[in-house]
Amino acid sequence: MTLFALRTRDDLLTVRFAVSPVWETQAAVQAFADERGRSYHQPWRQLVAARADRLDLAPLLAVLPRRGYVPDFLTPPPRTSRPGLRNQLAEIRATKPAQVARELGRCRDSVDHEQQRRLLTHLATDPERARDQLAALLHDAWTTLVAPFWVRIRTLLDRDIDERSRTLARHGLRCALDELHPKIRWTKRGLSLADRTGRTVAVSERGLLLMPSAYLWPHVAAIIEDPWQPTFIYPAAGIAGLWQAPATPPGALGRLLGRTRALILTALDQPLSTTALAAATELSPAGVSRHLLALRDAGLLTTARHGHEVRYRRTELGSALLHAHRG
């Protein structure tokens, strides 16, 4: 068991959520390469297969073993709630070569595959060059595997954080933490993760970071080594619907509003921004924006600001109209 010790009130106040593009990228590389990939990622794997074949994934797969230690410098815990990939790659490239060498060596010692061990040994001979090479490969993997779908993925992750934030507001931190994953439990001494390490990690002023992931299910991961911020990575709720095609609106509703507006109204089972809704419905953002304004002016939608975004949701009238035609 790994115990994240939260001993004081100040420790509890440091718990926060974040989304990490670079974590999703390395997790996507693992998910794509794993022939046992979960069925809910199959539509994505089929979409990226042709382009992914042109990537040189061997160095990344060597440092991302199925079993063994994954170097933490490749996924530095985000300093903000929604970092950009460029900033995260810059942080990777700023890692001290000595830290890179230590983590590459630990990764090599944790794997049994001989070809991977040879590649890791070669990388460790020049850690500065290896660091920059791996950062460049992560950028290529992001561009091919994740970036075309990032709006959809980020919407899923943001929705998970929003729901857990509501749980926190209504029922408290203990309930919010207990619901993250079956292997994660709140105890009197802190947050425990059911694994084989037997480690106790003092959170203190560093804070505890919680990150949902689209590619991790059904597993959970943790960053516990110095100098990195203690971090839990857990599977985001709703992953099964990530790659599903948009729901078909009722035919009668399409005849009344027009098919596109009916599709948009149907897709708003939770508040979404214009960009997220465009990704979910596979329509252009400009076209979605025009239809959203028309539906809002008709009293079927309303808006609310969420950070830097404006999100749309159905009004009671919009929900009543949709449910009447579904029935």
Side-chain angles (χ1 to χ4, degrees), residues 278-298:
T281 56
E282 300 176 356
L283 300 169
S284 73
V288 168
S289 180
R290 290 194 298 271
H291 292 300
L292 285 170
L293 292 176
L295 291 168
R296 186 195 65 183
D297 291 345

Side-chain angles (χ1 to χ4, degrees), residues 3-9 11-12 189-190 200-204:
L3 177 68
F4 287 75
L6 297 161
R7 296 190 173 98
T8 70
R9 180 179 61 184
D11 292 350
L12 295 174
R189 295 188 295 159
T200 296
V201 181
V203 172
S204 64

Side-chain angles (χ1 to χ4, degrees), residues 29 136 301 318:
V29 170
L301 301 179

Side-chain angles (χ1 to χ4, degrees), residues 27-104:
V29 170
Q30 290 177 310
F32 178 78
D34 191 347
E35 296 178 356
R36 303 166 301 174
R38 303 296 174 181
S39 59
Y40 54 75
H41 285 315
Q42 281 303 113
W44 165 76
R45 296 177 88 246
Q46 292 170 0
L47 286 170
V48 302
R51 290 173 293 173
D53 286 341
R54 297 193 289 270
L55 292 175
D56 179 17
L57 294 179
L60 280 179
L61 291 174
V63 297
L64 300 172
R66 290 180 182 176
R67 293 184 179 180
Y69 171 74
V70 174
D72 291 327
F73 79 88
L74 292 173
T75 55
R79 302 179 187 274
T80 61
S81 61
R82 291 178 65 174
L85 181 82
R86 180 180 299 178
N87 290 337
Q88 289 193 292
L89 292 178
E91 188 171 353
I92 291 174
R93 293 188 176 102
T95 309
K96 294 180 179 180
Q99 181 75 27
V100 174
R102 281 195 298 272
E103 295 190 7
L104 288 177

Side-chain angles (χ1 to χ4, degrees), residues 5-298:
L6 297 161
R7 296 190 173 98
T8 70
R9 180 179 61 184
D10 288 342
D11 292 350
L12 295 174
L13 294 176
T14 63
V15 178
R16 65 183 179 91
F17 288 91
V19 168
S20 173
V22 77
W23 170 272
E24 292 306 306
T25 300
Q26 63 89 19
V29 170
Q30 290 177 310
F32 178 78
D34 191 347
E35 296 178 356
R36 303 166 301 174
R38 303 296 174 181
S39 59
Y40 54 75
H41 285 315
Q42 281 303 113
W44 165 76
R45 296 177 88 246
Q46 292 170 0
L47 286 170
V48 302
R51 290 173 293 173
D53 286 341
R54 297 193 289 270
L55 292 175
D56 179 17
L57 294 179
L60 280 179
L61 291 174
V63 297
L64 300 172
R66 290 180 182 176
R67 293 184 179 180
Y69 171 74
V70 174
D72 291 327
F73 79 88
L74 292 173
T75 55
R79 302 179 187 274
T80 61
S81 61
R82 291 178 65 174
L85 181 82
R86 180 180 299 178
N87 290 337
Q88 289 193 292
L89 292 178
E91 188 171 353
I92 291 174
R93 293 188 176 102
T95 309
K96 294 180 179 180
Q99 181 75 27
V100 174
R102 281 195 298 272
E103 295 190 7
L104 288 177
R106 181 176 175 184
C107 180
R108 179 195 57 214
D109 294 342
S110 72
V111 299
D112 296 325
H113 194 280
E114 187 57 34
Q115 185 175 354
Q116 285 184 320
R117 288 177 62 87
R118 287 198 299 268
L119 185 48
L120 286 162
T121 299
H122 174 71
L123 289 172
T125 59
D126 189 344
E128 187 172 358
R129 181 176 180 275
R131 176 198 65 193
D132 295 344
Q133 177 190 6
L134 292 169
L137 291 174
L138 279 171
H139 179 270
D140 292 342
W142 158 266
T143 301
T144 300
L145 301 178
V146 182
F149 316 100
W150 180 239
V151 171
R152 180 183 295 209
I153 293 169
R154 191 184 64 195
T155 299
L156 173 76
L157 303 180
D158 286 346
R159 190 186 310 156
D160 177 277
I161 293 174
D162 288 348
E163 182 58 36
R164 297 186 194 282
S165 297
R166 285 192 289 270
T167 300
L168 173 63
R170 294 171 183 169
H171 305 292
L173 181 60
R174 177 182 297 179
C175 184
L177 295 178
D178 272 345
E179 292 182 358
L180 290 175
H181 191 274
K183 289 187 176 181
I184 299 174
R185 282 291 176 266
W186 174 259
T187 72
K188 292 181 179 180
R189 295 188 295 159
L191 202 62
S192 68
L193 168 63
D195 62 9
R196 299 178 181 178
T197 68
R199 294 279 298 275
T200 296
V201 181
V203 172
S204 64
E205 70 278 358
R206 294 185 298 171
L208 175 62
L209 182 61
L210 305 172
M211 294 197 319
S213 173
Y215 290 99
L216 190 60
W217 191 92
H219 307 293
V220 65
I223 296 174
I224 61 176
E225 302 293 340
D226 291 332
W228 311 108
Q229 181 180 15
T231 304
F232 271 133
I233 306 96
Y234 63 91
I239 295 173
L242 179 59
W243 307 113
Q244 288 181 353
T248 303
L253 186 64
R255 290 190 293 274
L256 176 66
L257 299 177
R259 183 183 181 281
T260 301
R261 290 178 184 174
L263 177 65
I264 290 172
L265 190 66
T266 303
L268 284 170
D269 285 333
Q270 63 278 322
L272 294 174
S273 67
T274 301
T275 304
L277 190 57
T281 56
E282 300 176 356
L283 300 169
S284 73
V288 168
S289 180
R290 290 194 298 271
H291 292 300
L292 285 170
L293 292 176
L295 291 168
R296 186 195 65 183
D297 291 345

